[in-house]
Amino acid sequence: MVGVEAIAPEPPLKRRKVRDDTTTTTTHSTPVRHHHDTPEETDEKHTLRVSIREKTLESPSMTPSPSRSRDGSRPRRRAADADADADDYSSDRSRRHSTSPTSSTRSRRRRPRSSRSSSRSRSSSRSRSRSPRSQSDSRSPSPGSQLRNDTLAARETDLSPPSPSPPKPHYVPRMVLTGHTNGISQVRISPDGRWIASSSADGTVRIWDAATGQHAETLVGHMAGVSAVAWAPDSATLASGSDDKAIRLWDRVTGRPARAGKPLLGHHSYVYCLAFSPKGNILASGSYDEAVFLWDVRAGRLMRSLPAHSDPVSGIDFCRDGTLVVSCSTDGLTRIWDTSTGQCLRTLVHEDNPPVTSVCFAPNGRYVLAFSMDSCLRLWDYVSGTVKKTYQGHQNSGFSIGGCFGTVPTDTSPDAPSETGRAFIAAPSEDGAVVLWDVKTKEVVQRIDGAHDGICFWVDVHGDTMVSAGKDGRIKVYKHRDPNNTPPKVNGVASAAKDVDMGDSGNADGDGNGSISPLKDKDVKKED
């Protein structure tokens, strides 16, 4: 089991040591439209200001020269003629401008025009914008008007509200749940966020109320330590995998085994990892027998057996639509499987080939996150087979640990989608800490030191709730709080924090079968 001494003749230790990203918007100088433009042309005028400003800042070539403005907008088929005789073109165009009735009719004047001229001007606006003749009649912006345009645009920018930066995660300890008599291998929050399930080397699975910390059920039935636990999407069914090679399904409402107590049997060694499909009809399991099994949950039968790895399967997960399964192993390989066919679609392996202890899909289903025993977390693009990001800052060299993705909640209302907010990665550390990274920048945005005495094995996140578990047999429950709106403290400890000790009774109602006391100072660790 997870770094925990086993009672003979139980199997050997499972948490074992390692063996020996511009498009340069070339804003062509477009002549400024005058004040009698149509409403549609007003938007173009505003866009022109921005274009001129950017061009002025980037290049000194934005001089108000009419000839340059004409050269930039002439059709390509006349570009050679313009280069060959630029001076003749300029004088000839000036002469035509003064004599041609067509040019004087189309030219834009500041004095009021008749409705007929205005109609003609509007109907041919598009042809004028492409015609070199109209380009010669348009007035180039003067430096003074350009400066006024820049000033007005700058004022508009200053008046616009600045976009708020997403908040960083700030999780603070709220409760400590005790009751397991041995190390805790995994802890999981139910999909609805109401329940916490933990598996332990003491051979039991415990269910807790996530809001109050009250102990709900103790599930007893395995004959050896329990290594893995997984929630079904409906939060009503729980699966557990044990060193007794069996997988058991539990009804959370009744606290009794599902399927009339019949376990799922078929693995030849310890069951080490579990995952439900998004629909809840398939359960994937990984074992020390190096195989991945896909089970039909309703029928209780084995659908497919995948000879996945050459070492124990240490992690498994489904993508968001359930069409893909990812598995990892201490052989250093991470593999992507087709759920329907069982075909291996991709094998991911790093050049250093460190053992991989846990793996999970990103919420968008585009990447997979692998936890490696070289103290690195690697974000893989499984389509291209390349590592996109590597996260460092925790310790992991000898034990199997696991974490997950999370988002900083920006809207705490019940109807708010859980995907909104700043994305981060949460992982445990062998020094007892919990470390959180920003997904994009790889920056460590929070580190909770001393979360556990000894090794922290698992971290799970659901909205504003985070839980961690470790070798000390305790479960820490954290809540995200805005650092600018922290609750008052009593004797240096947050007043909402409490220590829930269930003992062996399974109750915490203050009647002697359990106790609720303030969180101890040593349990509160400030963010670095």
Side-chain angles (χ1 to χ4, degrees):
M1 195 52 209
V2 184
V4 181
E5 296 180 2
I7 302 175
E10 290 185 355
L13 295 178
K14 293 173 58 184
R15 313 279 181 184
R16 66 188 189 285
K17 301 281 184 180
V18 185
R19 297 190 299 270
D20 305 313
D21 108 179
T22 42
T23 304
T24 302
T25 306
T26 307
T27 53
H28 296 288
S29 175
T30 307
V32 176
R33 311 267 183 204
H34 297 291
H35 67 281
H36 59 278
D37 289 348
T38 61
E40 291 77 2
E41 296 170 335
T42 303
D43 293 336
E44 298 177 0
K45 183 175 181 180
H46 177 72
T47 305
L48 181 61
R49 293 175 184 169
V50 179
S51 175
I52 292 175
R53 183 171 66 256
E54 294 176 352
K55 189 76 173 183
T56 304
L57 292 175
E58 296 175 358
S59 171
S61 63
M62 266 305 299
T63 58
S65 171
S67 60
R68 179 176 294 272
S69 174
R70 287 192 300 268
D71 293 341
S73 58
R74 286 178 62 82
R76 293 185 178 179
R77 64 179 181 268
R78 300 185 181 179
D81 296 336
D83 294 335
D85 196 4
D87 295 336
D88 292 344
Y89 170 79
S90 178
S91 60
D92 180 63
R93 292 295 295 166
S94 301
R95 192 180 309 115
R96 282 199 299 243
H97 173 65
S98 61
T99 59
S100 173
T102 304
S103 174
S104 96
T105 302
R106 294 187 180 178
S107 63
R108 304 171 71 96
R109 304 292 186 181
R110 290 188 178 272
R111 66 175 183 266
R113 303 284 298 177
S114 64
S115 59
R116 180 178 181 182
S117 300
S118 300
S119 174
R120 181 184 304 175
S121 176
R122 286 193 299 268
S123 63
S124 58
S125 60
R126 180 172 300 181
S127 62
R128 288 202 304 274
S129 63
R130 295 192 297 263
S131 171
R133 176 173 300 183
S134 63
Q135 292 288 349
S136 65
D137 302 331
S138 299
R139 296 184 181 179
S140 299
S142 64
S145 63
Q146 179 179 334
L147 180 60
R148 287 192 298 272
N149 294 342
D150 293 346
T151 304
L152 291 174
R155 289 178 179 176
E156 293 176 359
T157 303
D158 294 340
L159 292 175
S160 61
S163 58
S165 59
K168 291 184 179 181
H170 183 72
Y171 287 88
V172 297
R174 182 174 179 268
M175 295 181 292
V176 179
L177 312 181
T178 60
H180 282 292
T181 60
N182 214 328
I184 301 175
S185 56
Q186 285 189 6
V187 61
R188 302 274 193 172
I189 306 176
S190 62
D192 60 8
R194 297 180 55 193
W195 308 98
I196 299 172
S198 57
S199 59
S200 172
D202 62 10
T204 66
V205 175
R206 288 180 177 249
I207 301 178
W208 322 76
D209 189 299
T212 66
Q214 300 292 319
H215 177 261
E217 296 288 346
T218 298
L219 310 179
V220 180
H222 286 290
M223 305 302 295
V226 184
S227 297
V229 68
W231 286 100
D234 60 1
S235 300
T237 302
L238 190 67
S240 60
S242 170
D243 289 353
D244 62 5
K245 309 176 187 179
I247 301 171
R248 291 185 177 271
L249 300 177
W250 308 87
D251 188 327
R252 179 197 56 79
V253 179
T254 64
R256 302 183 61 83
R259 300 187 60 255
K262 297 180 180 179
L264 303 179
L265 301 176
H267 281 294
H268 303 294
S269 189
Y270 325 130
V271 180
Y272 200 66
C273 51
L274 295 171
F276 273 97
S277 66
K279 293 182 179 179
N281 59 328
I282 301 176
L283 176 66
S285 61
S287 169
Y288 258 61
D289 60 11
E290 305 171 2
V292 171
F293 283 5
L294 301 181
W295 303 84
D296 186 325
V297 176
R298 296 184 179 92
R301 63 178 180 83
L302 180 62
M303 295 172 52
R304 193 177 303 276
S305 175
L306 309 177
H309 297 276
S310 59
D311 271 335
V313 181
S314 53
I316 200 165
D317 193 24
F318 278 91
C319 69
R320 61 188 302 175
D321 60 1
T323 59
L324 300 177
V325 175
V326 60
S327 66
C328 67
S329 169
T330 53
D331 61 7
L333 303 181
T334 301
R335 285 180 164 160
I336 310 295
W337 306 86
D338 187 295
T339 305
S340 59
T341 66
Q343 178 183 2
C344 181
L345 304 178
R346 179 76 70 182
T347 297
L348 310 174
V349 56
H350 192 261
E351 56 185 1
D352 297 335
N353 197 32
V356 186
T357 62
S358 182
V359 68
C360 62
F361 274 98
N364 61 5
R366 186 66 174 80
Y367 308 97
V368 294
L369 180 67
F371 294 71
S372 302
M373 294 179 72
D374 58 353
S375 299
C376 291
L377 277 64
R378 294 182 173 88
L379 188 67
W380 289 86
D381 182 343
Y382 61 84
V383 175
S384 63
T386 58
V387 176
K388 291 302 182 181
K389 295 182 184 296
T390 301
Y391 307 90
Q392 294 178 305
H394 71 304
Q395 297 180 16
N396 180 25
S397 59
F399 292 86
S400 179
I401 65 174
C404 65
F405 288 90
T407 55
V408 178
T410 56
D411 187 355
T412 57
S413 61
D415 298 333
S418 59
E419 294 81 3
T420 60
R422 181 173 185 165
F424 65 88
I425 295 172
S429 180
E430 291 179 3
D431 59 3
V434 175
V435 185
L436 280 65
W437 293 266
D438 184 277
V439 172
K440 294 182 179 179
T441 66
K442 302 186 295 184
E443 169 194 5
V444 176
V445 290
Q446 186 178 10
R447 181 183 181 92
I448 307 174
D449 288 316
H452 293 272
D453 297 333
I455 302 167
C456 180
F457 285 134
W458 206 267
V459 177
D460 196 18
V461 179
H462 185 281
D464 64 346
T465 303
M466 180 173 70
V467 295
S468 64
K471 188 177 180 181
D472 57 4
R474 298 191 301 171
I475 301 171
K476 285 281 189 74
V477 182
Y478 311 82
K479 280 290 184 177
H480 172 77
R481 288 178 183 157
D482 188 346
N484 299 323
N485 187 21
T486 56
K489 293 187 176 182
V490 178
N491 296 330
V493 179
S495 59
K498 58 184 178 180
D499 188 352
V500 181
D501 189 352
M502 299 304 159
D504 295 330
S505 62
N507 291 313
D509 50 11
D511 58 358
N513 295 328
S515 62
I516 299 178
S517 60
L519 186 66
K520 300 177 179 62
D521 289 336
K522 65 180 182 180
D523 293 330
V524 180
K525 300 298 179 180
K526 296 182 179 180
E527 175 186 354
D528 289 345

